[in-house]
Amino acid sequence: MTGTLITVAPTGAEVDKATWPQLPTGLDELITEAKACESAGATVIHVHIRDDEHRPTLDPVRLRETVLALHAETGLIVQLSTGGSVHDSLESRLAVLAAAPDSCSLTCGTVNFGDDVFVNPWPFMVRLHEQARQAQVVPEFELFDLGHVSALARLLREHGLPFGGRVHADFVLGVPGGMPATVPALVAAVQALPAEVTSWSATGIGRGHLPVMAAALALGGHLRVGMEDNLFFASGRPVRGNAELVTRAATLAAHLQRPALSGTQARALLGLTHLTP
Ligand code: KMH
Ligand code: ZN
């Protein structure tokens, strides 16, 4: 596929609403932001939700309500985070599947995460992989480190393909503790991907965001952008909202003759053709 899949990760679990009031934390804010991002070229939304005090939560009722609202108000492919925050239990992260998203994140290994640890033991990866397949939810395999690429290869070899038969991986570069947001790191990780991977995207956290975006496009990859990963549009200029990050990604992709995919094309790429757009 010659176009570009653009995923927006608008909120994340770590960014503080008090410092970043433009961060969409309420459901109404999320829907408004989602619509703007869809108009700008996004086809997938990677969702973390917050409670009434803007703290990250995996509340099952709120998660289900969010999926339903995003489906009602947008044509976006809804991907719920099973990563949550570093404080969430493994069981509460598995329970995210009950909210019936189209897609879920599945991180392929434990990684230091600043001063914390993002915990993804092998048995948890296997359970999430198998339960997602049973629930007909298509995982996106999150790769924060080169070792995660090997773990993905083992997961697919020992436990088979996910629901839909396609394999989409997403490189997250630049988390303190993971692989750096540099072009050589991205190239090494792409070269290590197992043959089962049918598509991949990349995002660079913070400063490495633009080099990673440009390199991903040049290497034939897809893009993830959003305030989960990047809070500055340019040096010293805070992001006004997620849509401007999507607009920039879509513009760059179009300039490189790889325009943003439509919803139908995105569904075909990810193995979600059973869903009506
Ligand atoms: N918030 C991070 C600890 C995911 O969404 O799956 C984990 C994360 C990855 O954001
Ligand atoms: Zn996330």
Side-chain angles (χ1 to χ4, degrees):
M1 200 161 298
T2 52
T4 303
L5 180 82
I6 301 178
T7 298
V8 63
T11 310
E14 286 78 31
V15 181
D16 180 25
K17 176 77 167 177
T19 313
W20 299 93
Q22 64 276 55
L23 187 78
T25 51
L27 184 54
D28 288 352
E29 290 173 323
L30 181 67
I31 296 298
T32 303
E33 198 84 336
K35 286 180 176 172
C37 291
E38 184 177 21
S39 298
T43 42
V44 179
I45 185 163
H46 169 85
V47 179
H48 291 254
I49 61 167
R50 301 290 180 102
D51 66 14
D52 291 338
E53 276 75 51
H54 314 287
R55 294 173 304 209
T57 177
L58 292 178
D59 177 72
V61 174
R62 209 175 265 251
L63 280 171
R64 182 65 190 141
E65 192 178 71
T66 303
V67 172
L68 289 172
L70 284 165
H71 279 161
E73 300 286 338
T74 77
L76 292 167
I77 295 164
V78 179
Q79 178 184 100
L80 288 183
S81 166
T82 64
S85 85
V86 290
H87 307 294
D88 288 317
S89 69
L90 299 180
E91 291 305 320
S92 66
R93 289 167 52 194
L94 282 170
V96 164
L97 294 174
D102 309 319
S103 172
C104 68
S105 56
L106 193 167
T107 297
C108 292
T110 294
V111 63
N112 282 323
F113 203 88
D115 294 350
D116 297 301
V117 180
F118 179 29
V119 178
N120 296 283
W122 173 254
F124 172 73
M125 284 174 55
V126 172
R127 283 175 74 198
L128 182 51
H129 185 57
E130 293 189 337
Q131 290 184 20
R133 184 165 48 214
Q134 210 163 14
Q136 304 196 342
V137 174
V138 170
E140 172 180 280
F141 299 97
E142 308 291 341
L143 308 170
F144 289 70
D145 213 347
L146 194 53
H148 293 188
V149 185
S150 306
L152 170 61
R154 179 184 171 196
L155 187 69
L156 298 170
R157 192 172 61 243
E158 295 183 7
H159 297 279
L161 295 176
F163 178 72
R166 312 280 296 175
V167 179
H168 182 77
D170 177 54
F171 296 109
V172 182
L173 301 100
V175 165
M179 59 187 155
T182 63
V183 175
L186 179 63
V187 169
V190 170
Q191 285 176 341
L193 283 173
E196 292 93 334
V197 171
T198 50
S199 58
W200 60 270
S201 52
T203 180
I205 305 296
R207 238 168 250 262
H209 189 69
L210 287 174
V212 166
M213 184 188 295
L217 283 171
L219 290 164
H222 301 271
L223 303 178
R224 172 172 129 171
V225 297
M227 290 183 70
E228 175 166 347
D229 303 337
N230 185 21
L231 293 163
F232 286 87
F233 191 80
S235 183
R237 208 287 250 155
V239 163
R240 296 197 181 102
N242 284 281
E244 69 175 357
L245 295 171
V246 176
T247 299
R248 176 166 64 184
T251 304
L252 188 60
H255 282 313
L256 293 181
Q257 306 286 297
R258 295 200 35 222
L261 292 181
S262 68
T264 304
Q265 290 171 319
R267 282 169 172 73
L269 183 82
L270 298 175
L272 284 160
T273 44
H274 62 295
L275 299 175
T276 45

